[in-house]
Amino acid sequence: MRVSQIMNTNVVSVTTDESATLAARLLNRHNIGSLPVCSLDGRIRGILTDRDIVLRCIAAENDPSTTKVGDIMSRGVVSVSPDDDVGEAARIMAADQVRRLPVTQDGRIVGMLSLGDMAKRHEYDMEAAKALSDISSNIKRV
């Protein structure tokens, strides 16, 4: 099965110049854990997670209303193509310790793929569970 068959095409994104406050509101409003950070032409520049906001903005005692997304986003984003195999996407998630992958075509965002998307498809629930297990086993406990 191809990524395009199960990815979410309703992508909510932000630009590097938007505030951490706006990003947090979007995460809350859409009940999602990450936002792709894109240029105005849809090219992916990074990804911003709820964890990025907490650790790089709030815990650092920065004002989220003036902190720019570009200053706290994660760079070096791994992505997949709509034509990639879902099993390969699960392996990438496990290897890169991520639960969500931007789906890009010609450098532009066209969707998002999450472990949840895979788990909903019974033929990939084992891959999703394995990826989650691999991700969770590498979490450092405090």
Side-chain angles (χ1 to χ4, degrees):
M1 179 175 289
R2 300 285 162 224
V3 167
S4 61
Q5 294 175 276
I6 65 170
M7 71 182 191
N8 185 341
T9 58
N10 296 321
V11 179
V12 178
S13 66
V14 290
T15 66
T16 56
D17 291 331
E18 291 176 299
S19 72
T21 298
L22 173 66
R25 287 183 180 142
L26 288 170
L27 290 169
N28 181 51
R29 181 178 308 137
H30 296 281
N31 193 30
I32 53 178
S34 67
L35 292 165
V37 182
C38 299
S39 60
L40 294 177
D41 67 354
R43 293 194 181 277
I44 191 141
R45 299 290 180 230
I47 197 153
L48 183 73
T49 66
D50 47 7
R51 189 170 195 271
D52 292 330
I53 295 170
V54 170
L55 297 179
R56 296 179 183 161
C57 183
I58 306 302
E61 298 183 2
N62 294 324
D63 180 355
S65 66
T66 59
T67 300
K68 301 289 184 199
V69 165
D71 295 333
I72 61 172
M73 70 183 187
S74 295
R75 300 177 192 311
V77 177
V78 63
S79 65
V80 292
S81 159
D83 296 324
D84 286 343
D85 180 72
V86 173
E88 179 60 21
R91 286 186 286 284
I92 291 169
M93 288 176 170
D96 286 78
Q97 301 290 293
V98 295
R99 296 169 192 241
R100 300 164 200 89
L101 285 175
V103 181
T104 58
Q105 190 165 34
D106 299 323
R108 290 181 171 77
I109 189 124
V110 294
M112 290 291 286
L113 179 68
S114 71
L115 287 176
D117 296 329
M118 284 187 264
K120 289 177 192 173
R121 300 296 295 242
H122 295 295
E123 61 266 36
Y124 288 100
D125 56 359
M126 292 304 292
E127 284 89 344
K130 170 88 170 84
L132 181 58
S133 175
D134 290 347
I135 292 166
S136 298
S137 68
N138 289 322
I139 294 174
K140 292 183 173 72
R141 305 281 184 219
V142 181

